[in-house]
C-alpha cells in the first residue's frame, strides 16, 4: 500500500514539526514569564489569549475545524500558563485568613489563572472523613478536627506548585505555619467584620460561629486571632470591596 505509507510518512513529518514548534512555543512562553517578572508586568493577560485565538482561527482554510483549533489552543494556553506559573512561583501559594475572607474563591481563581493544582484543606478533610466540617465538630469535637487538619497540612506541604486554601484556624498552631512555610509563601486575606458578616450571612455552616453571628461576635473572634494571622503572613491583602479578579491581580503583583 504505497499511498498509505506515503500519507503516514507525511503525518510523521508533520508530527515532528509540531513537536519542535510546540517545544519552541513553550520555551518562548517561559521567556515571556521571565520578562514579565523582571519588569513587574501583569502576569495574566486574557486579551492576549483572545487575540492569539482569533489569529489562529482566522487563518484556518477549513472553518469546520475551528472548534478543534480552539480546543487545541485552549490546551496550549493552559499548559503554557502552567509552565509560566511553575517558573514564576516555584513554591506553594498558601491562603490563610478568617472565615469568610474569600480564601476558597480567591484560591480557585488564582489556581485557574496559573494552571496550578488547587487544594482546600477543609474539603480534603471532609473527603477523608466522609463528613461535613460541622458534622466532624459535632461528632468528634474540635481537638479531633485539629488533628485531622494537621495531618492534611503535612500531606499537602510535601509538594510545591500548588495553591492551598487553609481553614481559618490553621495558623493558630505554630507548627502548621512552619510546615506550610517550608515550601510555601503565606498570603493573608483580611476583611472587616462587616464584610465577613455579609459573606457568612449568605451561607453559614461554620461550627465556630453562631448561626447568624452579629458584628460583635465576629469582631471579638477577629481580635482574638489577629496576631496569629499577622505573624504567619508573608503578604497581607485587604479584600474589602474588591472583586476576586482584583484580589488575584494584587496578589500576583505582591508575589513577584
Ligand atoms: C475554622 C474555619 C473553617 C473550618 C473550621 C474551623 C476556624 O474554615 O476550618 O470551621 O477555626 O476558623 P473557613 O475559614 O474556610 O471557613
Amino acid at each position: 500500500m504505497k499511498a498509505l505509507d506515503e500519507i503516514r510518512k507525511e503525518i510523521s513529518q508533520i508530527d515532528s514539526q509540531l513537536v519542535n514548534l510546540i517545544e519552541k512555543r513553550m520555551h518562548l512562553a517561559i521567556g515571556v514569564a521571565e520578562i514579565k517578572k523582571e519588569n513587574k508586568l501583569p502576569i495574566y493577560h486574557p486579551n492576549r489569549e483572545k487575540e492569539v485565538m482569533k489569529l489562529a482561527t482566522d487563518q484556518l482554510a477549513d472553518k469546520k475545524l475551528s472548534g478543534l483549533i480552539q480546543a487545541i489552543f485552549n490546551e496550549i494556553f493552559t499548559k503554557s500558563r502552567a509552565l509560566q506559573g511553575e517558573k514564576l512561583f516555584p513554591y506553594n501559594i498558601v491562603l490563610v485568613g478568617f472565615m469568610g475572607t474569600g480564601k476558597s474563591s480567591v484560591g480557585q481563581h488564582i489556581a485557574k489563572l496559573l494552571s496550578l493544582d488547587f487544594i482546600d484543606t477543609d474539603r480534603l478533610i471532609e473527603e477523608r472523613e466522609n463528613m461535613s466540617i460541622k458534622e466532624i465538630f459535632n461528632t468528634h469535637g474540635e481537638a479531633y478536627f485539629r488533628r485531622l487538619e494537621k495531618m492534611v497540612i503535612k500531606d499537602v506541604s510535601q509538594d510545591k506548585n500548588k495553591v492551598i486554601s487553609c481553614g481559618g484556624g490553621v495558623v493558630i498552631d505554630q507548627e502548621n505555619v512552619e510546615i506550610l512555610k517550608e515550601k510555601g509563601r503565606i498570603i493573608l486575606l483580611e476583611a472587616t467584620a462587616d464584610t465577613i458578616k455579609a459573606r457568612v450571612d449568605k451561607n453559614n455552616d461554620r461550627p465556630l460561629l453562631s448561626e447568624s453571628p452579629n458584628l460583635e461576635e465576629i469582631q471579638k473572634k477577629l481580635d482574638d486571632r489577629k496576631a496569629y494571622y499577622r505573624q504567619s503572613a508573608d503578604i497581607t491583602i485587604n479584600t474589602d470591596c474588591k472583586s476576586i479578579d482584583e484580589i488575584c491581580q494584587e496578589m500576583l503583583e505582591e508575589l513577584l
Side-chain angles (χ1 to χ4, degrees):
M1 280 283 220
K2 198 162 174 294
L4 189 59
D5 288 344
E6 285 299 318
I7 293 173
R8 283 188 172 149
K9 204 166 142 199
E10 201 172 334
I11 287 179
S12 297
Q13 278 165 1
I14 291 174
D15 286 347
S16 105
Q17 284 169 16
L18 277 176
V19 170
N20 288 335
L21 288 174
I22 290 169
E23 191 178 8
K24 207 167 177 181
R25 197 187 193 287
M26 291 300 160
H27 287 159
L28 288 171
I30 293 174
V32 167
E34 277 161 353
I35 293 174
K36 282 181 177 173
K37 186 176 183 170
E38 264 168 46
N39 297 283
K40 289 201 161 259
L41 296 172
I43 295 303
Y44 179 54
H45 230 280
N47 285 343
R48 167 79 187 140
E49 288 189 2
K50 280 191 196 127
E51 280 163 28
V52 174
M53 184 72 95
K54 190 171 178 320
L55 271 176
T57 45
D58 280 357
Q59 60 177 287
L60 200 60
D62 182 353
K63 296 291 180 210
K64 287 198 293 300
L65 293 179
S66 62
L68 173 81
I69 290 296
Q70 278 170 17
I72 291 172
F73 268 83
N74 276 326
E75 196 60 27
I76 289 176
F77 295 150
T78 305
K79 298 290 185 242
S80 168
R81 267 189 268 134
L83 281 176
Q84 292 187 329
E86 283 168 24
K87 182 87 200 166
L88 294 170
F89 311 106
Y91 44 77
N92 289 324
I93 297 175
V94 180
L95 296 171
V96 303
F98 197 77
M99 297 169 258
T101 47
K103 293 164 298 203
S104 301
S105 319
V106 168
Q108 278 172 43
H109 192 70
I110 197 107
K112 199 162 172 228
L113 288 186
L114 302 172
S115 295
L116 297 175
D117 286 341
F118 172 71
I119 296 170
D120 185 311
T121 59
D122 280 347
R123 299 296 81 75
L124 202 54
I125 293 170
E126 289 182 331
E127 273 169 33
R128 287 186 178 180
E129 290 293 290
N130 205 13
M131 267 190 218
S132 71
I133 299 293
K134 200 168 193 166
E135 283 167 344
I136 299 172
F137 267 75
N138 290 341
T139 318
H140 302 291
E142 180 171 353
Y144 178 84
F145 170 78
R146 297 297 174 199
R147 283 198 294 278
L148 295 176
E149 187 167 63
K150 188 184 282 287
M151 275 193 275
V152 163
I153 293 298
K154 283 186 178 153
D155 292 346
V156 301
S157 301
Q158 302 279 327
D159 303 320
K160 42 187 193 164
N161 283 127
K162 295 189 186 323
V163 177
I164 304 170
S165 163
C166 295
V170 160
V171 297
I172 309 301
D173 183 324
Q174 185 54 28
E175 199 190 347
N176 285 341
V177 176
E178 281 157 21
I179 296 169
L180 287 164
K181 276 190 191 262
E182 277 170 23
K183 287 190 183 144
R185 293 190 68 191
I186 299 188
I187 296 156
L188 167 63
L189 299 187
E190 285 194 325
T192 60
D194 287 283
T195 306
I196 290 169
K197 180 166 165 42
R199 291 187 188 146
V200 300
D201 272 350
K202 280 191 207 145
N203 157 32
N204 191 19
D205 49 7
R206 286 152 168 111
L208 292 182
L209 287 177
S210 53
E211 195 103 343
S212 188
N214 60 28
L215 275 181
E216 289 69 36
E217 179 185 340
I218 295 174
Q219 191 60 58
K220 172 151 191 337
K221 260 212 145 37
L222 264 177
D223 292 342
D224 290 346
R225 290 200 166 170
K226 197 170 184 168
Y228 292 102
Y229 289 132
R230 293 263 167 106
Q231 275 159 23
S232 73
D234 294 307
I235 291 167
T236 302
I237 295 183
N238 179 277
T239 64
D240 292 306
C241 308
K242 289 182 193 155
S243 70
I244 292 179
D245 204 48
E246 283 168 337
I247 298 166
C248 288
Q249 297 305 342
E250 198 175 320
M251 207 157 103
L252 291 174
E253 277 168 34
E254 293 284 338
L255 280 169
L256 283 177

